[in-house]
Amino acid sequence: MRPDLPYALGGFALGALLLGNTALAPDADPVGALDVALILVMAVALAVCRRYPVPALLAVTVAMLALHVRVHAGVSAAFPVLGAVYVAAWRGHRLTAALASVVFLGGFLARDVSVAPAGEPGQQILERTSLLLGWFVAANVAGLVARQHRAYLAQVEQRAADAERTREEMALRRAGEERLRIARDLHDSLTHSISVIKVQAGIAVHLGRKQGREPSAALLAIQEASSAAMRELRATLAVLRSPVDEDRVGLARVDELVERTRAAGVPVDVTVTGQPPALPVEVDQAGYRVVQEALTNVTRHAGPASAQVHVEYAPSSLTVAVTDDGRAPAAGPVTPGVGLSGMRERVTGLGGTLHADRADGGGFTVRATFPLDGPA
């Protein structure tokens, strides 16, 4: 009802103006009960003209024309009709607004001519009617202009929405094209090399067993690691080619990492505390990648060492930690390489924290904490 309140207040204000004008005008007749009823009808019609513009316009026109005929209310009787005409034209009822204007002006002129004294010049009637005609033309034109302005604003908003949607579609298409380009580059640059490593390791294992020698643990680890790398690379390429990640990595596959690390000659113990919740996909993958990179660094840089993997599930956080007792970096600040920098970017990008430094008892510790109780 709030949008109708200004119309209702305007209707009752015009009604009060009409009552005061007819009471003070020297040529007006006394106001009776029927005249007050006509003014009330006008006020109620203006109060609902926003919702029902055509019935309200007809009611206001008939009521004000009847009031003018009965008491000779004068020009003030045209004010409510002007407002109703403007609203009707603004709502798109141009023909109805024009017809109501013509009917009211014709009735107004006929009433003035019929009651004009014999000695009154016709110029005064003509001037007053011309003035009203200009007002009604202005009301119709103003309503049409307001409607066109409203349509223009709606069109501008629609264009802005279409432009935003088009921009999003273009961004998605460019992201898809970029994924395909990265997938092609990775396929061309990595798949062939890893395939060669896998084939050569397999041939070496086969020839050794054919000659009665048991392959070394390092060779078996190379064969297993290359096979795992090919599987992960294929999964990564599939994800890049399609937005749907059907075979994603996660903490549920940490045991596979541990087995490959053990096959490379590094003893690894795994500890899991807490009840595993339904983790967000990004957090699950990032936790897996942190453990993977940390174990890779243990294998490459720690020398003879053992490692401990600790996964802690809490209601509001996930913590993954990898600690080894091998050869720690030289004294001084730890200079992060590509692996540590990539881990930090993954963790901090999800709102978490990463600690990577020498352990108190020797060795190295990597600990990542991810928040689970809010948006990343």
Side-chain angles (χ1 to χ4, degrees), residues 1 5-6 10 25 60 66 121 126 130 160 165 179 243 256 259 270 321 340 358 368:
M1 297 299 294
L5 184 60
V60 170
L126 181 61
S130 300
R165 184 174 61 255
R179 286 199 307 270
E256 300 178 13
E259 290 301 325
V270 181
L340 287 179
R358 302 176 187 84

Side-chain angles (χ1 to χ4, degrees), residues 12-23:
F12 284 103
L14 289 174
L17 175 65
L18 283 172
L19 288 175
N21 184 66
T22 52

Side-chain angles (χ1 to χ4, degrees), residues 250-290:
L251 291 174
R253 300 178 60 178
V254 166
D255 290 339
E256 300 178 13
L257 289 176
V258 171
E259 290 301 325
R260 291 201 297 269
T261 307
R262 288 170 179 167
V266 179
V268 182
D269 293 329
V270 181
T271 304
V272 179
T273 59
Q275 186 65 27
L279 296 175
V281 175
E282 295 83 359
V283 174
D284 196 17
Q285 291 180 340
Y288 174 88
R289 294 303 184 188
V290 168

Side-chain angles (χ1 to χ4, degrees), residues 75-369:
V75 178
S76 60
F79 295 160
V81 185
L82 287 169
V85 165
Y86 169 80
V87 173
W90 171 51
R91 298 298 297 274
H93 306 285
R94 295 177 294 179
L95 182 59
T96 304
L99 289 176
S101 302
V102 171
V103 169
F104 183 83
L105 285 173
F108 191 92
L109 178 62
R111 170 66 170 78
D112 283 359
V113 171
S114 63
V115 299
E120 183 178 353
Q123 182 180 359
Q124 295 182 1
I125 299 177
L126 181 61
E127 289 178 353
R128 182 163 61 178
T129 305
S130 300
L131 179 63
L132 284 179
L133 176 61
W135 287 358
F136 274 96
V137 171
N140 281 272
V141 172
L144 294 178
V145 171
R147 179 172 179 82
Q148 291 178 356
H149 181 66
R150 184 182 182 184
Y152 171 75
L153 291 180
Q155 187 177 18
V156 169
E157 292 177 357
Q158 183 63 36
R159 287 180 178 177
D162 293 342
E164 184 67 24
R165 184 174 61 255
T166 303
R167 189 181 301 112
E168 292 177 357
E169 292 174 355
M170 290 180 62
L172 291 175
R173 185 171 65 251
R174 289 175 180 173
E177 294 173 354
E178 184 66 14
R179 286 199 307 270
L180 291 177
R181 186 189 66 80
I182 294 173
R184 288 193 297 267
D185 292 345
L186 286 175
H187 181 273
D188 295 341
S189 61
L190 295 180
T191 305
H192 175 71
S193 299
I194 296 177
S195 297
V196 170
I197 294 173
K198 179 183 177 182
V199 171
Q200 294 293 334
I203 292 175
V205 170
H206 174 71
L207 291 178
R209 287 174 177 170
K210 188 176 181 180
Q211 295 174 2
R213 300 192 306 269
E214 186 63 27
S216 64
L219 189 58
L220 293 175
I222 292 173
Q223 185 183 27
E224 178 62 26
S226 60
S227 299
M230 285 296 297
R231 289 195 299 268
E232 290 192 11
L233 182 58
R234 292 193 187 100
T236 302
L237 294 179
V239 171
L240 289 174
R241 293 181 181 275
S242 173
V244 180
D245 189 358
E246 298 178 352
D247 188 23
R248 64 179 178 87
V249 295
L251 291 174
R253 300 178 60 178
V254 166
D255 290 339
E256 300 178 13
L257 289 176
V258 171
E259 290 301 325
R260 291 201 297 269
T261 307
R262 288 170 179 167
V266 179
V268 182
D269 293 329
V270 181
T271 304
V272 179
T273 59
Q275 186 65 27
L279 296 175
V281 175
E282 295 83 359
V283 174
D284 196 17
Q285 291 180 340
Y288 174 88
R289 294 303 184 188
V290 168
V291 176
Q292 182 184 42
E293 181 64 26
L295 290 179
T296 301
N297 289 339
V298 171
T299 305
R300 294 173 57 188
H301 305 299
S306 61
Q308 295 80 37
V309 177
H310 184 202
V311 181
E312 180 182 357
Y313 297 101
S316 60
S317 64
L318 165 70
T319 301
V320 294
V322 178
T323 303
D324 67 81
D325 56 3
R327 183 176 62 250
V334 177
T335 303
V338 176
L340 287 179
S341 299
M343 278 195 289
R344 191 173 301 279
E345 291 172 359
R346 285 180 182 273
V347 176
T348 56
L350 295 172
T353 58
L354 178 72
H355 171 79
D357 203 349
R358 302 176 187 84
D360 294 337
F364 201 79
T365 298
V366 175
R367 179 182 296 103
T369 303

